Amino acid sequence: MTQLDTAPATEPMTAERAVAVVTDFFDRYRERDVVAMTDLCTDNADFSYTPFEVWAKQRVVRGDGKVRTIGRVIWSGLINAFPDLGNTIFNIDGNDNGDVVVACDITGTQQSAWGFIAPQGKYFAEPHLFILHVDEDGLIDTIKAYWDNAGVNRQLGHFEVD
């Protein structure tokens, strides 16, 4: 028998397997363990927090890129600003292609600045929709998220005027 013959075969993707990986990811999110969240993703996993945008004097930072660069920075910043950052999953559904959709609330109490939002000690709970993909190796290779950023700002007492 060759080395290739003795290596364990990759499990076939099932909806249950994909949902289990994503459930583990959200468990690590609740624990605020950015390293463990990242470890559940491929090295080159795509990341898109569509509503995320922070304006600075010379540039705009958007929530699009890779998990190991943009994603880690955003998650770490959120955890720093909202030390009790959490999530409550209302629905999670997947298919045998590795696609998983999560409807949840992201919650937290702001303790330090987040972007241009000064801390007022206010709590937010905002519905989010996550669309993820789990590859055949059981790792997340795509994370997309959508939410009402104006709703978060309003709950934190931040009102922009153009």
Side-chain angles (χ1 to χ4, degrees), residues 24-100:
D24 194 23
F25 174 84
F26 277 89
D27 290 345
R28 302 297 80 76
Y29 198 152
R30 267 190 301 286
E31 294 168 0
R32 295 172 289 285
D33 188 343
V34 173
V35 172
M37 291 165 64
T38 305
D39 287 346
L40 290 168
C41 299
T42 63
D43 287 341
N44 202 31
D46 291 321
F47 179 87
S48 180
Y49 273 22
T50 302
F52 182 85
E53 190 174 82
V54 176
W55 288 74
K57 290 182 180 184
Q58 297 286 325
R59 66 186 180 136
V60 178
V61 177
R62 292 195 169 84
D64 289 309
K66 300 295 179 182
V67 164
R68 294 185 187 275
T69 55
I70 299 295
R72 285 179 71 143
V73 170
I74 290 174
W75 294 331
S76 296
L78 281 167
I79 290 165
N80 183 58
F82 303 89
D84 64 344
L85 188 70
N87 64 73
T88 303
I89 295 175
F90 298 110
N91 188 50
I92 185 166
D93 192 26
N95 64 29
D96 291 342
N97 294 324
D99 303 310
V100 181

Side-chain angles (χ1 to χ4, degrees), residues 110-127:
Q110 187 179 12
Q111 298 299 315
S112 64
W114 174 243
F116 291 113
I117 303 173
Q120 298 178 38
K122 293 191 174 191
Y123 175 83
F124 84 95
E126 189 65 30

Side-chain angles (χ1 to χ4, degrees), residues 3-11:
Q3 180 70 20
L4 186 59
D5 294 335
T6 61
T10 302
E11 290 180 50

